[in-house]
Amino acid sequence: MSDLETGNTRDFEQGLRASADAPARFDSHKHSTLDRIQHRLHANPELVPLIVLVLSVAVFGVLLGAKFFSPFTLTLILQQVAIVGIVGCAQSLVVLTAGIDLSVGAIMVLSSVVMGQFTFRYGLPVELAVLCGLACGALCGFINGALVAVMRLPPFIVTLGMWQIVLASNFLYSANETIRSQDIAREAALLQFFGEKINIQGAVFTYGVIALFVLVLVLNYVLNHTAWGRHVYAIGDDPDAAELAGVRVARIRISVYTLAGLICALAGWAMIGRLGSVSPTTGQFTNIESITAVVIGGISLFGGRGSVLGMLFGALIVGVFSLGLRLIGTDPQWTYLLIGVLIISAVAIDQWIRKVAA
């Protein structure tokens, strides 16, 4: 064999050995401690808000002692975040598809007004009025979904416009009239159903809180164990690839926005129970509060990653900070400051976690 052939053979064998060693070096890098943490958080994005929730409860527990850990205080936090949590479920579905819904709060209020007005203005049976309110929310969501999926308009613009339209329709239709809690309790007690309380050894649960937990569990199962749920994640991750894979992207998007509108109507019913009355002026900023819960809860605004369970943790974090700081006696502005820090931190962590898939 010539020297040239011998040299080529030696170079070829060295190349093979280098190729064999490359995956080993790559694997050792991937299994570093920081990378394992990054992969774990990428696979379970609800872990970050859960850790923050546990730490915040521990800190306020140390500062406030037994006063904070009393069953009444802890369940009071649940009552305060029930409405935002239910609306947050609707927002979570939309954000998972890489969209956003600025109209959720307005849809919630309009649905509650429809329930009240159909009962007291038109004299419909309260059961039928509730169904009409739920249908109103679903219709608003369907319009959002059709404009986004069929007309291919940006979700931000569509829902911003719908927010203004629904908000104006709400005031025009209700004539800014509030239906008093005494009238509801006397003639249409079903409207206050979600405000009824269950006292268990000092822990006070409302049916609204129970509805929130049931809704989170159902949606968590649907998103993780059904074809529809997998399609929602696929659309948020890459809609073009999902469509090539046979997913009916437009139909899934319309169903997501319609279901979100229906959930907002459910939140409107729960809000009547929470307040005891039907008011067209309440809950106008629930859209911002729901987005806050979603972002802090680890759901990526880029879509395709996160869970409604994390959103629930995010809503509870806001509730813990709000009540804890109030009990300490600090200025309420500190609550907004800390929540703002949490939002920016959550987005920064999400960007860091997303590098795993890059």
Side-chain angles (χ1 to χ4, degrees), residues 250-283:
R251 180 176 296 183
I252 296 295
R253 273 190 171 140
I254 291 174
S255 67
V256 164
Y257 280 90
T258 303
L259 180 57
L262 180 62
I263 294 173
C264 290
L266 176 65
W269 187 7
M271 185 177 65
I272 297 175
R274 172 69 177 164
L275 301 176
S277 60
V278 177
S279 174
T281 60
T282 57

Side-chain angles (χ1 to χ4, degrees), residues 136-152:
C136 175
L139 176 61
C140 292
F142 174 81
I143 295 173
N144 280 337
L147 292 174
V148 171
V150 179
M151 301 294 293
R152 298 184 180 276

Side-chain angles (χ1 to χ4, degrees), residues 109-123:
V109 178
L110 178 61
S111 300
S112 68
V113 168
V114 167
M115 294 178 190
Q117 294 292 336
F118 275 38
T119 300
F120 289 92
R121 181 185 295 182
Y122 305 127

Side-chain angles (χ1 to χ4, degrees), residues 8-32:
N8 290 339
T9 302
R10 186 167 54 251
D11 293 341
F12 178 71
E13 291 175 348
Q14 290 175 350
L16 286 178
R17 285 195 296 271
S19 301
D21 291 342
R25 289 194 298 270
F26 179 79
D27 290 341
S28 65
H29 172 71
K30 281 295 184 182
H31 287 85
S32 67

Side-chain angles (χ1 to χ4, degrees), residues 21-184:
D21 291 342
R25 289 194 298 270
F26 179 79
D27 290 341
S28 65
H29 172 71
K30 281 295 184 182
H31 287 85
S32 67
T33 302
L34 187 61
D35 286 326
R36 283 198 299 269
I37 294 174
Q38 196 175 15
H39 276 273
R40 185 66 180 272
L41 295 179
H42 186 271
N44 302 279
E46 65 274 3
L47 285 178
V48 175
L50 177 59
I51 293 170
V52 174
L53 176 61
V54 172
L55 290 177
S56 60
V57 169
V59 169
F60 283 112
V62 171
L63 295 175
L64 296 169
K67 180 181 180 181
F68 185 78
F69 283 116
S70 68
F72 176 79
T73 301
L74 294 178
T75 50
L76 179 60
I77 294 173
L78 294 176
Q79 294 178 42
Q80 291 178 340
V81 304
I83 308 302
V84 173
I86 294 174
V87 177
C89 288
Q91 191 71 258
S92 298
L93 294 175
V94 175
V95 174
L96 284 174
T97 63
I100 196 167
D101 194 341
L102 298 177
S103 65
V104 287
I107 293 175
M108 175 189 71
V109 178
L110 178 61
S111 300
S112 68
V113 168
V114 167
M115 294 178 190
Q117 294 292 336
F118 275 38
T119 300
F120 289 92
R121 181 185 295 182
Y122 305 127
L124 291 181
V126 63
E127 296 85 359
L128 184 57
V130 168
L131 290 176
C132 290
L134 295 175
C136 175
L139 176 61
C140 292
F142 174 81
I143 295 173
N144 280 337
L147 292 174
V148 171
V150 179
M151 301 294 293
R152 298 184 180 276
L153 300 177
F156 181 88
I157 301 301
V158 169
T159 58
L160 177 63
M162 181 61 73
W163 175 33
Q164 298 291 337
I165 293 171
V166 173
L167 197 64
S169 301
N170 171 40
F171 286 113
L172 291 171
Y173 174 67
S174 66
N176 207 17
E177 175 187 1
T178 298
I179 302 175
R180 300 179 305 168
S181 59
Q182 299 93 324
D183 297 331
I184 295 176

